[in-house]
Short mmCIF file of all heavy atoms in Angstrom, two decimals:
data_model
loop_
_atom_site.label_atom_id
_atom_site.label_comp_id
_atom_site.label_asym_id
_atom_site.label_seq_id
_atom_site.Cartn_x
_atom_site.Cartn_y
_atom_site.Cartn_z
N GLY A 83 49.14 191.08 159.69
CA GLY A 83 49.06 189.70 159.26
C GLY A 83 50.33 188.91 159.51
O GLY A 83 50.34 187.70 159.34
N ARG A 84 51.41 189.57 159.94
CA ARG A 84 52.63 188.84 160.25
C ARG A 84 52.47 188.11 161.58
O ARG A 84 51.96 188.66 162.54
CB ARG A 84 53.82 189.79 160.34
CG ARG A 84 54.17 190.47 159.03
CD ARG A 84 55.37 191.38 159.23
NE ARG A 84 55.66 192.15 158.04
CZ ARG A 84 56.60 193.11 158.00
NH1 ARG A 84 57.29 193.39 159.08
NH2 ARG A 84 56.81 193.77 156.88
N ARG A 85 52.92 186.90 161.63
CA ARG A 85 52.82 186.11 162.85
C ARG A 85 54.10 186.27 163.65
O ARG A 85 55.19 186.12 163.13
CB ARG A 85 52.58 184.64 162.51
CG ARG A 85 52.23 183.78 163.71
CD ARG A 85 51.89 182.38 163.28
NE ARG A 85 50.66 182.31 162.53
CZ ARG A 85 49.46 182.22 163.09
NH1 ARG A 85 49.34 182.24 164.39
NH2 ARG A 85 48.38 182.14 162.34
N THR A 86 53.97 186.62 164.94
CA THR A 86 55.14 186.79 165.78
C THR A 86 55.79 185.44 166.05
O THR A 86 55.13 184.40 165.95
CB THR A 86 54.77 187.47 167.11
OG1 THR A 86 53.76 186.69 167.77
CG2 THR A 86 54.23 188.87 166.87
N LYS A 87 57.03 185.47 166.43
CA LYS A 87 57.79 184.24 166.66
C LYS A 87 57.26 183.48 167.87
O LYS A 87 56.98 184.06 168.91
CB LYS A 87 59.27 184.60 166.87
CG LYS A 87 60.15 183.40 167.17
CD LYS A 87 61.57 183.84 167.47
CE LYS A 87 62.44 182.66 167.89
NZ LYS A 87 63.80 183.09 168.26
N LYS A 88 57.13 182.17 167.73
CA LYS A 88 56.72 181.35 168.85
C LYS A 88 57.93 181.00 169.72
O LYS A 88 58.99 180.68 169.21
CB LYS A 88 56.07 180.05 168.35
CG LYS A 88 54.63 180.21 167.88
CD LYS A 88 54.05 178.88 167.49
CE LYS A 88 52.58 179.00 167.09
NZ LYS A 88 51.72 179.27 168.24
N GLU A 89 57.75 181.09 171.03
CA GLU A 89 58.79 180.72 171.97
C GLU A 89 58.50 179.34 172.53
O GLU A 89 57.34 179.01 172.81
CB GLU A 89 58.87 181.75 173.10
CG GLU A 89 59.15 183.17 172.64
CD GLU A 89 60.51 183.34 171.97
OE1 GLU A 89 61.39 182.48 172.20
OE2 GLU A 89 60.68 184.32 171.23
N LYS A 90 59.55 178.53 172.68
CA LYS A 90 59.37 177.15 173.11
C LYS A 90 59.78 176.97 174.57
O LYS A 90 60.84 177.45 174.99
CB LYS A 90 60.21 176.20 172.24
CG LYS A 90 59.86 176.22 170.75
CD LYS A 90 60.66 177.23 170.01
CE LYS A 90 60.40 177.19 168.50
NZ LYS A 90 61.06 178.31 167.80
N VAL A 91 58.95 176.29 175.32
CA VAL A 91 59.21 176.03 176.74
C VAL A 91 58.99 174.55 177.00
O VAL A 91 57.96 173.99 176.63
CB VAL A 91 58.30 176.87 177.64
CG1 VAL A 91 58.47 176.46 179.12
CG2 VAL A 91 58.59 178.35 177.47
N VAL A 92 59.98 173.90 177.62
CA VAL A 92 59.87 172.50 178.03
C VAL A 92 59.63 172.48 179.53
O VAL A 92 60.34 173.13 180.29
CB VAL A 92 61.15 171.72 177.68
CG1 VAL A 92 61.08 170.29 178.22
CG2 VAL A 92 61.37 171.70 176.17
N THR A 93 58.62 171.71 179.95
CA THR A 93 58.23 171.70 181.35
C THR A 93 58.21 170.29 181.91
O THR A 93 57.74 169.35 181.26
CB THR A 93 56.84 172.34 181.55
OG1 THR A 93 56.90 173.71 181.16
CG2 THR A 93 56.38 172.25 182.99
N LEU A 94 58.73 170.15 183.14
CA LEU A 94 58.69 168.89 183.89
C LEU A 94 57.80 169.11 185.11
O LEU A 94 58.04 170.04 185.88
CB LEU A 94 60.09 168.47 184.36
CG LEU A 94 61.14 168.04 183.34
CD1 LEU A 94 61.65 169.22 182.51
CD2 LEU A 94 62.32 167.39 184.06
N VAL A 95 56.79 168.25 185.28
CA VAL A 95 55.90 168.35 186.43
C VAL A 95 55.88 167.01 187.16
O VAL A 95 55.57 165.98 186.56
CB VAL A 95 54.46 168.71 186.01
CG1 VAL A 95 53.56 168.76 187.25
CG2 VAL A 95 54.42 170.05 185.29
N GLU A 96 56.24 167.05 188.43
CA GLU A 96 56.16 165.85 189.26
C GLU A 96 54.76 165.79 189.86
O GLU A 96 54.31 166.75 190.49
CB GLU A 96 57.21 165.92 190.37
CG GLU A 96 57.26 164.68 191.23
CD GLU A 96 58.38 164.75 192.28
OE1 GLU A 96 59.29 165.60 192.11
OE2 GLU A 96 58.32 163.98 193.24
N ARG A 97 54.07 164.70 189.66
CA ARG A 97 52.71 164.58 190.17
C ARG A 97 52.70 164.73 191.70
O ARG A 97 53.38 164.00 192.40
CB ARG A 97 52.10 163.23 189.79
CG ARG A 97 51.79 163.10 188.31
CD ARG A 97 51.14 161.78 187.98
NE ARG A 97 51.01 161.61 186.54
CZ ARG A 97 50.63 160.47 185.96
NH1 ARG A 97 50.32 159.43 186.70
NH2 ARG A 97 50.55 160.40 184.63
N GLY A 98 51.95 165.73 192.16
CA GLY A 98 51.89 166.02 193.58
C GLY A 98 53.09 166.76 194.10
O GLY A 98 53.24 166.94 195.31
N GLY A 99 53.96 167.22 193.18
CA GLY A 99 55.19 167.89 193.61
C GLY A 99 55.50 169.15 192.83
O GLY A 99 54.61 169.94 192.51
N ARG A 100 56.77 169.30 192.48
CA ARG A 100 57.26 170.54 191.90
C ARG A 100 57.12 170.58 190.38
O ARG A 100 56.84 169.57 189.74
CB ARG A 100 58.73 170.73 192.27
CG ARG A 100 59.02 170.82 193.75
CD ARG A 100 60.50 170.67 194.03
NE ARG A 100 60.95 169.29 193.76
CZ ARG A 100 62.23 168.90 193.79
NH1 ARG A 100 63.18 169.79 194.02
NH2 ARG A 100 62.54 167.64 193.56
N VAL A 101 57.37 171.76 189.84
CA VAL A 101 57.39 171.95 188.39
C VAL A 101 58.61 172.79 188.04
O VAL A 101 58.99 173.70 188.79
CB VAL A 101 56.09 172.63 187.89
CG1 VAL A 101 55.87 173.97 188.59
CG2 VAL A 101 56.12 172.84 186.38
N ARG A 102 59.23 172.49 186.91
CA ARG A 102 60.35 173.29 186.40
C ARG A 102 60.19 173.46 184.90
O ARG A 102 59.94 172.49 184.19
CB ARG A 102 61.70 172.62 186.70
CG ARG A 102 62.09 172.69 188.16
CD ARG A 102 63.44 172.06 188.42
NE ARG A 102 63.62 171.83 189.85
CZ ARG A 102 64.41 170.90 190.37
NH1 ARG A 102 65.12 170.11 189.57
NH2 ARG A 102 64.51 170.76 191.67
N SER A 103 60.36 174.70 184.45
CA SER A 103 60.21 175.01 183.03
C SER A 103 61.49 175.63 182.49
O SER A 103 62.18 176.35 183.20
CB SER A 103 59.04 175.98 182.82
OG SER A 103 57.83 175.43 183.30
N PHE A 104 61.76 175.36 181.20
CA PHE A 104 63.00 175.82 180.58
C PHE A 104 62.70 176.38 179.18
O PHE A 104 62.11 175.69 178.35
CB PHE A 104 64.01 174.67 180.49
CG PHE A 104 64.34 174.06 181.82
CD1 PHE A 104 63.58 173.02 182.32
CD2 PHE A 104 65.38 174.56 182.58
CE1 PHE A 104 63.86 172.46 183.56
CE2 PHE A 104 65.67 174.02 183.82
CZ PHE A 104 64.91 172.97 184.32
N HIS A 105 63.12 177.61 178.97
CA HIS A 105 62.97 178.26 177.67
C HIS A 105 64.10 177.76 176.77
O HIS A 105 65.28 177.89 177.10
CB HIS A 105 63.05 179.78 177.85
CG HIS A 105 62.88 180.53 176.57
ND1 HIS A 105 63.36 181.82 176.41
CD2 HIS A 105 62.29 180.20 175.40
CE1 HIS A 105 63.07 182.24 175.20
NE2 HIS A 105 62.43 181.27 174.56
N VAL A 106 63.75 177.16 175.63
CA VAL A 106 64.74 176.61 174.71
C VAL A 106 64.56 177.22 173.33
O VAL A 106 63.46 177.66 172.97
CB VAL A 106 64.64 175.07 174.62
CG1 VAL A 106 64.96 174.43 175.97
CG2 VAL A 106 63.25 174.64 174.17
N LYS A 107 65.64 177.23 172.56
CA LYS A 107 65.56 177.76 171.20
C LYS A 107 64.81 176.79 170.29
O LYS A 107 64.03 177.21 169.43
CB LYS A 107 66.96 178.02 170.65
CG LYS A 107 67.67 179.20 171.29
CD LYS A 107 68.99 179.47 170.61
CE LYS A 107 69.68 180.69 171.20
NZ LYS A 107 70.99 180.97 170.55
N ARG A 108 65.07 175.49 170.48
CA ARG A 108 64.40 174.47 169.67
C ARG A 108 64.09 173.27 170.54
O ARG A 108 64.87 172.93 171.44
CB ARG A 108 65.29 174.03 168.50
CG ARG A 108 65.57 175.10 167.46
CD ARG A 108 66.42 174.52 166.34
NE ARG A 108 65.75 173.41 165.67
CZ ARG A 108 66.40 172.49 164.93
NH1 ARG A 108 67.72 172.55 164.81
NH2 ARG A 108 65.72 171.53 164.34
N VAL A 109 62.96 172.64 170.27
CA VAL A 109 62.60 171.43 171.01
C VAL A 109 63.13 170.24 170.22
O VAL A 109 62.52 169.78 169.25
CB VAL A 109 61.07 171.32 171.20
CG1 VAL A 109 60.73 170.04 171.96
CG2 VAL A 109 60.53 172.53 171.93
N THR A 110 64.29 169.76 170.61
CA THR A 110 64.92 168.62 169.96
C THR A 110 65.26 167.57 171.02
O THR A 110 65.30 167.86 172.22
CB THR A 110 66.22 169.03 169.25
OG1 THR A 110 67.17 169.52 170.23
CG2 THR A 110 65.96 170.13 168.23
N THR A 111 65.51 166.36 170.56
CA THR A 111 65.88 165.28 171.49
C THR A 111 67.12 165.65 172.28
O THR A 111 67.20 165.41 173.49
CB THR A 111 66.12 163.98 170.71
OG1 THR A 111 64.91 163.61 170.02
CG2 THR A 111 66.53 162.85 171.64
N LYS A 112 68.09 166.26 171.62
CA LYS A 112 69.34 166.63 172.29
C LYS A 112 69.10 167.67 173.38
O LYS A 112 69.63 167.56 174.49
CB LYS A 112 70.33 167.17 171.26
CG LYS A 112 71.73 167.40 171.81
CD LYS A 112 72.69 167.79 170.70
CE LYS A 112 74.10 167.98 171.24
NZ LYS A 112 75.04 168.37 170.15
N ASN A 113 68.32 168.70 173.07
CA ASN A 113 68.06 169.75 174.06
C ASN A 113 67.27 169.21 175.26
O ASN A 113 67.56 169.54 176.41
CB ASN A 113 67.29 170.90 173.41
CG ASN A 113 68.16 171.73 172.49
OD1 ASN A 113 69.39 171.67 172.56
ND2 ASN A 113 67.55 172.51 171.62
N VAL A 114 66.24 168.40 174.98
CA VAL A 114 65.43 167.85 176.06
C VAL A 114 66.25 166.87 176.89
O VAL A 114 66.12 166.80 178.11
CB VAL A 114 64.17 167.16 175.50
CG1 VAL A 114 63.38 166.48 176.60
CG2 VAL A 114 63.29 168.18 174.78
N GLU A 115 67.11 166.10 176.24
CA GLU A 115 67.96 165.14 176.96
C GLU A 115 68.86 165.85 177.98
O GLU A 115 69.03 165.37 179.10
CB GLU A 115 68.81 164.35 175.97
CG GLU A 115 69.65 163.26 176.63
CD GLU A 115 70.44 162.46 175.62
OE1 GLU A 115 70.71 162.98 174.51
OE2 GLU A 115 70.79 161.31 175.92
N ARG A 116 69.42 167.00 177.59
CA ARG A 116 70.27 167.77 178.51
C ARG A 116 69.47 168.19 179.75
O ARG A 116 69.96 168.12 180.87
CB ARG A 116 70.81 169.03 177.81
CG ARG A 116 71.90 168.77 176.80
CD ARG A 116 72.70 170.04 176.55
NE ARG A 116 73.43 169.97 175.32
CZ ARG A 116 73.06 170.51 174.16
NH1 ARG A 116 71.92 171.17 174.10
NH2 ARG A 116 73.81 170.41 173.08
N ILE A 117 68.25 168.64 179.53
CA ILE A 117 67.40 169.08 180.64
C ILE A 117 67.08 167.92 181.57
O ILE A 117 67.20 168.03 182.80
CB ILE A 117 66.11 169.72 180.10
CG1 ILE A 117 66.43 171.03 179.36
CG2 ILE A 117 65.12 170.00 181.24
CD1 ILE A 117 65.24 171.62 178.63
N LEU A 118 66.68 166.79 180.99
CA LEU A 118 66.31 165.64 181.82
C LEU A 118 67.50 165.10 182.60
O LEU A 118 67.37 164.72 183.77
CB LEU A 118 65.71 164.53 180.94
CG LEU A 118 64.40 164.86 180.23
CD1 LEU A 118 63.88 163.63 179.50
CD2 LEU A 118 63.36 165.35 181.20
N GLU A 119 68.67 165.05 181.98
CA GLU A 119 69.86 164.56 182.68
C GLU A 119 70.19 165.42 183.89
O GLU A 119 70.62 164.91 184.93
CB GLU A 119 71.05 164.53 181.72
CG GLU A 119 71.01 163.40 180.71
CD GLU A 119 72.21 163.41 179.78
OE1 GLU A 119 72.98 164.42 179.83
OE2 GLU A 119 72.38 162.46 179.01
N ALA A 120 69.99 166.74 183.76
CA ALA A 120 70.33 167.66 184.85
C ALA A 120 69.25 167.75 185.92
O ALA A 120 69.55 168.05 187.08
CB ALA A 120 70.62 169.05 184.28
#
């Protein structure tokens, strides 16, 4: 009955193009902002 830990992944998909995914500890504005800037 114990629930295993959920892992968070942020993904960017360009329509008709590439995709990039990033495993993050927490989905926060700061963490997502770093990914988008890079």
Side-chain angles (χ1 to χ4, degrees):
R84 294 181 186 174
R85 190 175 292 275
T86 57
K87 178 184 175 183
K88 282 183 176 289
E89 301 296 340
K90 299 90 175 173
V91 173
V92 175
T93 297
L94 292 71
V95 178
E96 183 177 343
R97 290 182 187 171
R100 299 166 291 173
V101 57
R102 287 182 195 154
S103 301
F104 302 89
H105 181 203
V106 296
K107 289 185 177 180
R108 294 182 60 200
V109 180
T110 63
T111 299
K112 188 174 182 180
N113 287 343
V114 175
E115 184 177 24
R116 286 200 199 100
I117 293 172
L118 296 185
E119 286 180 351

